[in-house]
Amino acid sequence: MSKHDILRILEQNRGEVISGITLSDELGLSRNSIWKGINALREEGYLIESVKNKGYRLLHESDSLSESEIKLYLKNKDFSIIIKDELPSTNTYLKENKSTDFKNNTLVVAKSQTSGRGRLGKNFYSEDKSGIYMSLLKKEDLGQYDISLITIAAALCISEVLNSIAGIETRIKWVNDIYSQGKKLSGILTEGSMEFETGNLEYFIIGIGINVNTESFPEEIKDIASSLSLMTKRKYIRNEIVARILDSLEGYLLMTKTSPSTLIESYRKKMLYLDQEIVVSRGNETFNGILRGINEQGHLIIEREGKLITQNSGEISIRKI
Ligand code: BTN
């Protein structure tokens, strides 16, 4: 607990020196406990400078993912947060440990992933240790959500959070990719499990990957991927971004039932290639069309040879001509 309290005070005064006496007076702890707490935080990766005869300073560039710091930023504390150094995939981790092992609203965050997965069996680059790779488990009160619009809701949430945190214009490439300035910043993978007999949804998982402080990408994706820091020339505190997403995601998810038309309209306005000509790939087949929006199930509406057709996300991908 003392570690968490020390962090709270240092975080509230990020960049400034706080004396050991102030910390021990405010927290009612001995100087030795403060020293131990500081060392424990350093072991977690926090960049805390000791300034001789003055005290401790949490450096501006300190950006270590931790449960304590995410909770400092969170308004709604009703989440169980697990931080892992490395996982093959946070989505797979939640799925493999089955919905029964974890409580509703469990969030797993990995500092890096060795087999990050995307839609349509694609890989998601997540070896870099300065991104956000996380998955949220929902397994209670699922009747409040319309499952067909969950990915739409999550994509809109991420797009708007990134807009407001980084001040950049983001667009959603249907159905689950967030783009800015022509490059991918983030991807979302939602997965769920249905009970065979009843057809009831057992749980769903929302996996979110964001390129945050990533400085370079492998050769094969460097022309199509970017990060918040590359775009805005500054660094971000990932714990704050995680908390902002958690605090706002539920509101978007509830809209899938309470106000789907508002959700769909807001999503439509943010769509990449809206009213532009695109190439649609479906298996081995490709055809051209004009992207017109999404319908009430979140399916893509395309104008093809003068007629409107809809396409489900399981089947297709799109790109600009
Ligand atoms: C896509 O690009 O199609 C979606 C990418 C989703 C990536 C996230 S990272 C956290 C979670 N774990 C995964 O393996 N995938 C998602």
Side-chain angles (χ1 to χ4, degrees), residues 89-91 113 115-119 124 133-135 176-177 184 187-189 207-209:
S89 149
T90 52
N91 269 33
Q113 295 184 130
S115 315
R117 297 185 290 111
R119 204 169 70 89
F124 181 79
Y133 317 112
M134 66 183 201
S135 302
N176 62 329
D177 286 340
K184 179 163 163 173
I188 293 143
L189 181 66
I208 300 164

Side-chain angles (χ1 to χ4, degrees), residues 125 183-184 216-226 230:
Y125 172 67
K183 292 192 171 179
K184 179 163 163 173
S216 62
F217 290 90
E219 194 57 31
E220 57 280 16
I221 57 167
K222 76 175 190 344
D223 294 332
I224 51 170
S226 190
L230 283 174

